[in-house]
DNA sequence: TAGTGGTCTAGACCACAGG
DNA sequence: CTGTGGTCTAGACCACTAG
């Protein structure tokens, strides 16, 4: 036989079972038999359906997870990933506005808030001296009910007196503007793929060591002063980053 | 620099073995017993050392891989990840300059180059009509010998006559400037975590379905015309993205 | 309490890489 | 050819979630 597509697929002949499972499940999703946030059948059911073991089945689920096609909630099961949110980290638009503009339902939950001695990383970001005290607000944010983001905000307290007594479930952006007359100016951000730290995986109820997108934002106000920084841990399959240069 | 060092004690009794292995191996790396691009002992050796099975051992290796601490080359073994490259996608600086500024050794390899009928996605990016013909250049790029990037460049041929006869192993940025008087202007980029497509995993010799960072860049010249776009697939643990707003 | 995912065992065969 | 990683089998117990 001459050059046909079979030769192209040699590397697929490895991993026969896993590939077949991946194709079958993504077929269900593409054909709408399963839609956003639907739960997949139990692992034992699937492994029987595909006449294989749970180990192999979980290998396939792991690959679909890496592609961002499905996600899991710890000890609850596997679910179909909803479409990604388009996120421009340079933009001032806040989380709730961003989600709503894209037809999604946002929600915010405050885990805790207080004044702490800042870790050295934070002092460096905020250009504060060692052992400075800062406000720390930890929140999780949901889209359509699904917890997608764990974030720690560190605020230079000089600019935000008594902010801890305000309602922190709404947008900090609005609070800054309405109560303190402070608006976001220049932003600097860093981003790297890694895994969730323990505090985040607990709060989001994802498996320990799930992959995550870690984004650091350092925010200045309209006068160029560094006012706060955010450490954001996003579920791996949540975001589609888009940035346009000025 | 990585906040995500292995110092997290993992939750209580779950994942006892895997956690112990992860801590041991990251200990070796932090204490310099293993350094950048060193190969780890064989899986069978490690699984015996930790008195466990290869399945469990591979679970641990997979977690270290997700953290970006180690990487694998298909059927060759596991290696210690070198430090990440700092990458600003909005910057005009080209790959070789970027790598050298950070004390690394860059290399480029052209896989193929030719004139093709553009896929519709590409026409959309370049704002060309359906079934346009474009130049396509596929390359892989290395840092310190390790293949880290698979990239497809799509060029609007109107601006680059006869470019396929030039030396394409060097910087396109320089070729554009020196031969065509075209310099990069505004850039727009999108980024999302996913897995390598087959062409990329083959070229980079990474496992099929390894996680990857997919970056699309749409480049304009000094007159604001869209001149080309890049589809870049980076190894997951290669980059530390940093962007500063103007 | 029942059923789920999370973890782990103890093997096995294959395809490919390197000597 | 030898050793490697890649894949797969057929079970098991535990921890947690949901009803």
């Amino acid at each position: 036989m001459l050059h046909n597509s079979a030769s192209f697929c040699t590397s697929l002949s490895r991993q026969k079972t896993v590939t077949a499972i991946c194709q079958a499940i993504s077929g269900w999703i593409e054909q709408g038999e399963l839609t956003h946030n639907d739960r997949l059948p139990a692992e034992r059911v699937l492994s029987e359906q595909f006449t294989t073991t749970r180990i192999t089945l979980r290998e396939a689920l792991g690959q679909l997870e890496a592609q961002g096609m499905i996600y899991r909630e710890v000890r609850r099961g596997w679910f179909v990933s909803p479409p990604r949110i388009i996120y421009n980290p340079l933009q001032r638009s806040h989380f709730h506005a961003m989600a709503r503009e894209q037809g999604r339902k946002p929600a915010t939950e405050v885990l805790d808030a207080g004044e702490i001695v800042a870790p050295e990383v934070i002092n460096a970001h905020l250009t504060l001296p060692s052992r400075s005290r800062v406000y720390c607000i930890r929140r999780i944010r949901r889209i359509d009910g699904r917890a997608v983001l764990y974030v720690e905000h560190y605020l230079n307290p000089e600019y935000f007196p008594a902010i801890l007594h305000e309602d922190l479930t709404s947008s900090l952006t609005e609070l800054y503007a309405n109560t303190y007359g402070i608006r976001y100016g220049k932003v600097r951000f860093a981003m790297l793929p890694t895994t969730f730290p323990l505090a985040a995986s607990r709060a989001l109820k994802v498996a320990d060591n799930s992959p995550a997108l870690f984004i650091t934002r350092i925010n200045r106000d309209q006068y160029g002063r560094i006012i706060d920084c955010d450490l954001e841990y996003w579920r791996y399959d949540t975001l589609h980053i888009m940035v346009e240069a000025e």
Side-chain angles (χ1 to χ4, degrees), chain A:
Chain A
M1 212 187 284
L2 292 183
H3 310 81
N4 57 15
S5 59
S7 66
F8 181 77
C9 288
T10 43
S11 94
L12 287 185
S13 67
R14 305 188 317 231
Q15 232 190 35
K16 198 167 44 84
T17 311
V18 168
T19 303
I21 297 172
C22 287
Q23 287 173 347
I25 295 179
S26 39
W28 299 346
I29 295 171
E30 276 153 24
Q31 283 153 38
E33 296 172 44
L34 288 170
T35 68
H36 312 150
N37 297 315
D38 276 0
R39 202 183 139 192
L40 270 64
E43 291 181 359
R44 284 171 179 81
V45 173
L46 287 173
S47 61
E48 199 170 320
Q49 230 170 85
F50 292 108
T51 56
T52 185
T53 57
R54 271 182 71 210
I55 294 273
T56 303
L57 187 268
R58 281 169 65 85
E59 169 73 19
L61 294 177
Q63 291 194 6
L64 293 171
E65 180 185 39
Q67 289 167 31
M69 192 164 304
I70 63 177
Y71 66 96
R72 63 178 122 172
E73 292 194 359
V74 79
R75 274 171 212 286
R76 290 205 344 105
W78 297 84
F79 302 83
V80 177
S81 296
R84 294 182 190 248
I85 288 280
I86 294 173
Y87 179 48
N88 182 343
L90 293 184
Q91 217 163 278
R92 296 93 184 101
S93 160
H94 56 273
F95 180 83
H96 286 256
M98 174 178 79
R100 271 194 292 261
E101 279 161 16
Q102 297 179 42
R104 314 291 285 271
K105 282 196 198 101
T108 299
E109 201 173 305
V110 177
L111 298 174
D112 52 43
E115 188 179 335
I116 61 164
V117 176
E120 284 313 298
V121 198
I122 301 302
N123 287 323
H125 288 153
L126 299 179
T127 61
L128 290 174
S130 272
R131 293 183 297 282
S132 293
R133 300 185 73 83
V134 297
Y135 296 145
C136 172
I137 304 170
R138 303 192 312 128
R139 311 197 286 185
I140 70 175
R141 316 196 92 163
R142 299 172 185 278
I143 292 193
D144 299 334
R146 176 190 176 213
V148 296
L149 166 63
Y150 166 89
V151 54
E152 299 174 351
H153 305 268
Y154 294 91
L155 284 58
N156 185 333
E158 185 186 341
Y159 305 125
F160 305 105
I163 196 171
L164 296 179
H165 300 120
E166 304 283 338
D167 172 20
L168 300 173
T169 56
S170 64
S171 156
L172 285 186
T173 311
E174 284 181 0
L175 195 54
Y176 287 4
N178 298 340
T179 308
Y180 300 94
I182 285 179
R183 259 162 278 277
Y184 279 135
K186 261 196 192 179
V187 182
R188 180 173 159 203
F189 79 92
M191 166 163 37
L192 59 88
T194 181
T195 53
F196 286 108
L198 202 57
S201 56
R202 289 239 180 93
L204 295 182
K205 295 191 181 159
V206 303
D208 286 359
N209 291 302
S210 296
L213 205 55
F214 174 44
I215 300 181
T216 305
R217 292 173 45 125
I218 299 170
N219 301 304
R220 293 172 184 269
D221 68 3
Q222 65 265 46
Y223 311 113
R225 305 175 301 187
I226 296 179
I227 51 172
D228 70 3
C229 71
D230 306 341
L231 306 191
E232 305 179 350
Y233 294 90
W234 292 83
R235 282 185 95 119
Y236 183 81
D237 63 354
T238 308
L239 290 185
H240 188 143
I241 311 283
M242 290 197 93
V243 176
E244 180 115 28
E246 260 332 288

